[in-house]
Amino acid sequence: MLIVQKFGGSSVADAGRIRNVAGIIAESYLEGHEMVVVLSAQGDTTDDLLEKAAELNEAPSKRELDMLLATGEQQSIALMAMCLEAMGLPVVSLTGWQAGIRTNADYSAARINRINTERLHRELDKKRIVLVAGFQGVNKFDDYTTLGRGGSDTTAVALAAALHADKCQIFTDVEGVYTADPRKVPGAKKLDEITYDEMLELASMGAQVLMNRSVQLAKRYGVELEVLSSLVRAPGTKVKEVSRNMEEMKITGIAKDANVARVTVMQVADRPGSAFRVLNAVARAGINVDMIIQANGRDETNDMSFVVAEADAEAACKVLQDRQTAIGFRDISVDKDIAKVSVVGAGMMSSVGIASLVFEALNDEHVNIQMINTSEVKISCVIDAASADRAVAAIHRKFFEA
Ligand code: ADP
Ligand code: ASP
Ligand code: MG
């Protein structure tokens, strides 16, 4: 079998953890499997590197930032290779470039265009364990790019698809995918299986256990994933097309995204085309917008609010301010002290009363709902950030601990 394994930052945080992971890799290798292993940067390395950069330049170029961030993953693969060497196992470490991972030119949020698997196959043919630096690739200028936070998951799934791997195992610091973040909600339950679609919603709504783009890729190429713990030996969660749980469960899980901000554009002229001008300006800056609401205004104006990723909030304000006269509005405000709490489940479509149960849970906790968004498979509420964990716990109790 050809197995792709991926180990996240906390799984390789120090020498002890690296030895532990080397043991897991060695076990599969010694069973006779071909092994391609993707590693993340150790512990908080990526955040530390970002801080170092900020000490010298508040707005470094994305090219240089990617050059810096790519070093985190490179440390992990070299250290792991040394550990496996010391165990007497044949191993080689490869950067994203050496592993043939080609991306577009979008620094800090690059997408994988293709993987040239020649070198990987050559190393596998030599019976070596192949360690690949996650989160990175190279673009058409032969510059390093990174794939966005959590991107090593995407590296692993892309490699599994390109190599037609028999298995793709994502090892992390919890035992699988749970009905809510198990570190925040002690009563959270591990799911044996989850569908790609539900996992994609959970990941997109803030469950960082898998990067959403890795789930998209897995669905597109039919790569079955297993999310499991590098510390506890127990079956994890299978992410696949159809899940056994589908019929019985009305909702699959609850996610929180605290990295969001609300932008309010005040007193936008109440005439055709205003919403288009506001949202078009933001879209053209490459910023994703979510949960748009327009409050009934007075004096022939309306207030318009929408949610963006916290990191995009300043840029969204800037593009709007630059076009204030053309768009026609009075002022803009940004609120970063918000969080989006989402309830996800395909079973929602066929059951009534899910939304009212969510609102009841929030009401019980006296949490004020600022914005609501619903689709066939999810309900999202924007609330103040300080109440978010309490809100998730309350909703979880209603659905899973009753
Ligand atoms: P890694 O470094 O292995 O990539 P991450 O920190 O990116 O790990 O993701 C694992 C974390 O995701 C867990 O420690 C957990 O706190 C968090 N998490 C959030 N929501 C969920 C969920 N529904 N199920 C499991 N883990 C979750
Ligand atoms: N090291 C990167 C990050 O912290 C990539 C990853 O861990 O998947 O986001
Ligand atoms: Mg991760």
Side-chain angles (χ1 to χ4, degrees), residues 6 8-10 171-174 176-178 180-183 207-209:
K6 177 256 168 179
S10 48
F171 288 87
T172 182
D173 56 1
V174 290
V177 180
Y178 286 69
D181 186 342
R183 296 189 186 284
Q208 65 171 343
V209 60

Side-chain angles (χ1 to χ4, degrees), residues 16-17 47 49 69 89 163 178 181 185 199 230 245 255 308 330 386:
R17 291 278 172 95
D47 290 323
L49 290 171
L69 293 187
L89 294 167
L163 295 167
Y178 286 69
D181 186 342
V185 180
M199 189 62 236
S230 66
N245 300 327
V308 295
R330 173 99 184 278

Side-chain angles (χ1 to χ4, degrees), residues 49-62 64-65:
L49 290 171
L50 284 169
E51 271 175 35
K52 278 192 183 180
E55 279 174 23
L56 296 164
N57 185 341
E58 266 178 33
S61 69
K62 287 186 163 182
E64 298 310 331
L65 205 53

Side-chain angles (χ1 to χ4, degrees), residues 6 40-41 46 73 135 149-153:
K6 177 256 168 179
S40 290
T46 305
E73 272 61 21
F135 177 55
R149 298 306 302 267
S152 298
D153 296 332

Side-chain angles (χ1 to χ4, degrees), residues 80-308:
M80 183 66 74
M82 292 170 196
C83 184
L84 288 161
E85 270 176 0
M87 293 162 71
L89 294 167
V91 59
V92 62
S93 67
L94 302 176
T95 64
W97 166 61
Q98 292 171 312
I101 300 174
R102 308 299 304 201
T103 73
N104 67 8
D106 203 0
Y107 297 102
S108 85
R111 286 176 176 265
I112 298 175
N113 286 338
R114 66 194 154 81
I115 301 182
N116 179 353
T117 54
E118 234 169 84
R119 173 84 187 262
L120 291 163
H121 281 301
R122 224 163 47 229
E123 300 296 349
L124 287 171
D125 288 346
K126 290 181 197 158
K127 304 282 174 233
R128 287 175 168 167
I129 296 168
V130 183
L131 305 179
V132 180
F135 177 55
Q136 57 174 256
V138 283
N139 64 19
K140 62 181 176 201
F141 308 115
D142 285 345
D143 283 341
Y144 272 104
T145 52
T146 65
L147 309 181
R149 298 306 302 267
S152 298
D153 296 332
T154 302
T155 305
V157 175
L159 284 170
L163 295 167
H164 305 289
D166 300 285
K167 255 190 194 183
C168 183
Q169 298 176 312
I170 309 285
F171 288 87
T172 182
D173 56 1
V174 290
E175 285 176 47
V177 180
Y178 286 69
T179 49
D181 186 342
R183 296 189 186 284
K184 301 270 171 55
V185 180
K189 295 178 172 52
K190 183 164 84 182
L191 300 166
D192 295 332
E193 300 186 344
I194 184 171
T195 64
Y196 292 125
D197 289 334
E198 288 171 317
M199 189 62 236
L200 185 57
E201 286 292 343
L202 274 183
S204 302
M205 292 303 115
Q208 65 171 343
V209 60
L210 284 178
M211 190 203 207
N212 58 355
R213 276 176 34 218
S214 73
V215 185
Q216 263 168 353
L217 265 187
K219 180 179 159 81
R220 188 175 319 144
Y221 292 99
V223 176
E224 204 173 296
L225 305 177
E226 187 177 7
V227 179
L228 65 174
S229 166
S230 66
L231 299 165
V232 180
R233 287 188 174 241
T237 302
K238 296 249 166 68
V239 187
K240 48 200 268 211
E241 191 62 45
V242 186
S243 98
R244 252 187 288 130
N245 300 327
M246 220 152 60
E247 280 293 324
E248 313 102 69
M249 286 176 65
K250 294 190 177 79
I251 80 163
T252 313
I254 305 161
K256 176 189 90 169
D257 188 350
N259 297 318
V260 289
R262 185 186 52 222
V263 177
T264 303
V265 190
M266 279 169 282
Q267 301 192 19
V268 185
D270 187 11
R271 58 166 190 258
S274 285
F276 166 71
R277 278 190 289 277
V278 169
L279 297 171
N280 188 249
V282 177
R284 285 173 64 167
I287 297 169
N288 263 327
V289 165
D290 177 31
M291 298 182 81
I292 305 155
I293 60 166
Q294 183 172 296
N296 253 342
R298 49 207 136 71
D299 311 331
E300 300 183 347
T301 63
N302 294 316
D303 288 352
M304 217 177 131
S305 297
F306 53 85
V307 173
V308 295

Side-chain angles (χ1 to χ4, degrees), residues 299-362:
D299 311 331
E300 300 183 347
T301 63
N302 294 316
D303 288 352
M304 217 177 131
S305 297
F306 53 85
V307 173
V308 295
E310 198 171 328
D312 289 335
E314 307 300 338
C317 281
K318 175 138 195 340
V319 293
L320 290 171
Q321 253 144 10
D322 289 349
R323 291 168 183 72
Q324 181 162 12
T325 328
I327 297 168
F329 62 89
R330 173 99 184 278
D331 205 359
I332 302 182
S333 72
V334 176
D335 186 356
K336 293 183 177 170
D337 279 334
I338 60 159
K340 184 164 74 177
V341 170
S342 305
V343 172
V344 169
M348 225 179 254
M349 274 184 275
S350 50
S351 30
V352 289
I354 304 280
S356 77
L357 213 51
V358 173
F359 303 145
E360 186 184 329
L362 296 176

